[in-house]
């Protein structure tokens, strides 16, 4: 049984990497039916999955959820909307942005622009203990920096100015010794990418992620306050992306296939193997998963949903404060997204609902996509 009361704490911590703001500005799009009509007498392998989501939506009283499931051949084998959500609705995805940002940074590593061992001293000119912080530390949230600097949600600032403020702060631990979930790490990582390339973060994301995946919408973008599409000079790298489920599924497919898109290389498989492993044996500081009663550790911009994080996990995820929850399950042969945009006033319930539902669905989806004996 999941510790649902404890899972309520997930949203409170995940919110630190989303925006503090507010008023939803998204117009709901009509629901879509589940994929594929079945012949009479055919048993629907997703019937239990469907019933489970429908019951959870009613029980929690949430306004709308969509579940989409993709198999190992990237076919969408199930999609159904419950309420006012749909796969083409653009929303603030909060901490699901972390995995998307990780894709851009890992591709730059693959190209040799940065390495996982590039340091803030080398790239940003930092000095002292903080000069030894590596990109690997930043992507795994083990940099030892104060994890949630207030500048990351200051719309009038720039990414460069914010990172200067982060550098001036006192560290909470030596690099590689403590895990603390928060936004500051990825702000610094993104700034390293900007300095090395001479390009702004959004341009880098467009070039490294959107273009290779054939994503053309200018609205697939980062903001300081993504729910209101405000603030582009200091984008929230850890939580500021606005995306649709359909768009995010293309990013998630890259993670599932360990760096290929339709058989075409996107980045080295070794980097995605590294993403799925915990790089350091660290003290756990701030962790919404542990606070929520789950023992999951962290890799490179992804939660590791297994009991063997140091050797690697087949299941990685990146749930967000407003409920948008993507995950891949390589051993089971699928990847999936729970799409939703829950109200800010209900954030204390979001972690219990979205992460709890993902945990309950995983074995049922595995059974549904398994080949018939």
């Amino acid at each position: 049984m999941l510790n649902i009361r404890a899972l309520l704490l997930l949203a409170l911590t995940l919110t630190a990497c989303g925006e503090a703001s507010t008023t939803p500005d998204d117009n709901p799009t009509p629901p879509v039916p589940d994929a594929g009509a079945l012949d009479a007498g055919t048993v629907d392998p997703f019937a239990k999955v469907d019933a489970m989501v429908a019951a959870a939506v009613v029980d929690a009283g949430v306004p709308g959820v969509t579940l989409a499931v993709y198999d190992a051949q990237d076919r969408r084998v199930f999609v159904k909307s419950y309420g006012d959500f749909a796969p083409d609705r653009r929303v603030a995805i909060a901490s699901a942005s972390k995995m998307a940002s990780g894709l851009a940074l890992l591709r730059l590593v693959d190209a040799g622009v940065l390495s996982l061992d590039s340091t803030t001293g080398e790239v940003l000119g930092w000095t002292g203990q903080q000069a030894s912080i590596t990109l690997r530390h930043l992507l795994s949230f083990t940099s030892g920096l104060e994890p949630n600097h207030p500048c990351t949600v200051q719309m009038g600032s720039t990414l460069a100015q914010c990172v200067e403020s982060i550098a001036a702060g006192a560290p909470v631990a030596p690099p590689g010794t403590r895990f603390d979930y928060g936004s500051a790490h990825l702000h610094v990582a993104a700034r390293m990418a900007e300095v090395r390339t001479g390009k702004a973060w959004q341009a880098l994301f467009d070039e490294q992620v959107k273009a290779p995946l054939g994503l053309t919408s200018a609205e697939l973008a980062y903001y300081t306050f993504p729910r209101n599409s405000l603030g582009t000079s200091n984008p929230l790298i850890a939580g500021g992306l606005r995306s649709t489920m359909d768009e995010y599924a293309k990013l998630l497919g890259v993670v599932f296939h360990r760096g290929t898109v339709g058989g075409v290389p996107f980045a080295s498989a070794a980097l995605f193997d590294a993403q799925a492993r915990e790089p350091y044996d660290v003290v756990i500081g701030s962790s919404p998963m542990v606070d929520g009663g789950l023992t999951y550790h962290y890799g490179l911009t992804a939660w590791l949903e297994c009991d063997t994080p140091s050797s690697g996990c087949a299941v990685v995820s990146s749930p967000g404060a407003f409920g948008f929850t993507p995950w891949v399950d390589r051993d089971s042969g699928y990847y999936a997204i729970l799409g939703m945009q829950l109200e800010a006033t209900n954030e204390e319930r979001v972690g219990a609902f979205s992460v709890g539902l993902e945990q309950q669905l995983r074995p049922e989806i595995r059974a549904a996509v398994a080949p018939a004996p």
Side-chain angles (χ1 to χ4, degrees):
M1 287 291 292
L2 290 171
N3 186 341
I4 296 300
R5 178 170 294 180
L7 272 169
L8 293 174
L9 296 171
L10 275 170
L12 300 178
T13 308
L14 288 170
T15 301
C17 293
E19 59 173 300
S21 140
T22 239
T23 306
D25 62 342
D26 302 292
N27 295 319
T29 52
V32 296
D34 46 336
L38 295 169
D39 295 332
T42 301
V43 176
D44 180 2
F46 281 92
K48 192 169 182 180
V49 170
D50 183 11
M52 186 177 290
V53 180
V57 169
V58 172
D59 289 347
V62 300
V65 171
T66 294
L67 171 65
V69 181
Y70 297 78
D71 68 10
Q73 288 72 48
D74 303 307
R75 297 173 299 201
R76 191 167 67 177
V77 293
F78 179 84
V79 60
K80 187 168 181 180
S81 295
Y82 308 80
D84 69 356
F85 206 83
D88 59 353
R89 180 178 173 184
R90 187 172 304 283
V91 293
I93 63 172
S95 285
S97 305
K98 291 176 173 61
M99 188 179 281
S101 300
L103 280 182
L105 292 161
L106 291 178
R107 198 157 191 266
L108 289 173
V109 169
D110 187 65
V113 175
L114 291 164
S115 83
L116 290 176
D117 297 317
S118 296
T119 68
T120 53
E122 296 165 351
V123 180
L124 302 179
W126 288 16
T127 59
Q129 176 180 285
Q130 292 174 227
S132 65
I133 294 171
T134 66
L135 184 62
R136 195 190 312 268
H137 291 133
L138 294 164
L139 299 185
S140 60
F141 299 176
T142 60
S143 68
L145 295 170
E146 174 61 45
N148 291 304
H149 197 286
C151 74
T152 61
V153 288
Q154 290 176 355
M155 192 171 67
S157 184
T158 66
L159 185 63
Q161 290 168 340
C162 180
V163 169
E164 288 179 2
S165 296
I166 292 170
V172 298
T177 65
R178 176 183 165 112
F179 169 83
D180 283 292
Y181 191 79
S183 297
H185 315 279
L186 290 188
H187 243 61
V188 177
R191 183 58 186 158
M192 290 172 70
E194 288 189 336
V195 168
R196 275 290 170 88
T197 62
K199 299 176 181 178
W201 174 256
Q202 184 64 49
L204 283 172
F205 185 76
D206 291 350
E207 174 185 278
Q208 298 299 323
V209 177
K210 289 172 63 175
L213 300 183
L215 298 169
T216 59
S217 175
E219 296 180 0
L220 179 59
Y222 285 79
Y223 300 90
T224 312
F225 294 103
R227 284 186 76 118
N228 304 99
S229 302
L230 294 174
T232 56
S233 65
N234 184 29
L236 185 59
I237 310 302
L241 187 63
R242 289 180 59 84
S243 179
T244 69
M245 292 177 67
D246 290 339
E247 290 168 336
Y248 201 97
K250 293 193 174 184
L251 281 65
L252 201 56
V254 175
V255 176
F256 177 84
H257 292 293
R258 298 170 55 246
T260 62
V261 183
V264 177
F266 176 91
S268 165
L271 290 171
F272 289 87
D273 292 339
Q275 180 183 53
R277 289 194 305 269
E278 184 180 33
Y280 305 103
D281 182 14
V282 295
V283 172
I284 302 298
S286 170
S287 170
M289 288 292 184
V290 172
D291 290 345
L294 298 170
T295 59
Y296 301 146
H297 288 202
Y298 207 73
L300 305 182
T301 67
W303 287 103
L304 309 180
E305 298 199 12
C306 74
D307 296 328
T308 57
S310 61
S311 59
C313 292
V315 182
V316 299
S317 65
S318 192
F322 308 134
F324 195 98
T325 301
W327 74 97
V328 309
D329 188 338
R330 296 191 184 101
D331 282 353
S332 299
Y334 79 89
Y335 52 102
I337 304 172
L338 277 166
M340 64 193 86
Q341 176 88 124
L342 301 188
E343 298 284 354
T345 53
N346 291 330
E347 281 174 3
E348 70 278 5
R349 300 170 55 202
V350 175
F353 177 71
S354 61
V355 177
L357 182 56
E358 177 229 336
Q359 299 294 298
Q360 294 164 17
L361 288 173
R362 274 178 46 196
E364 301 304 332
I365 295 176
R366 179 173 191 160
V369 299

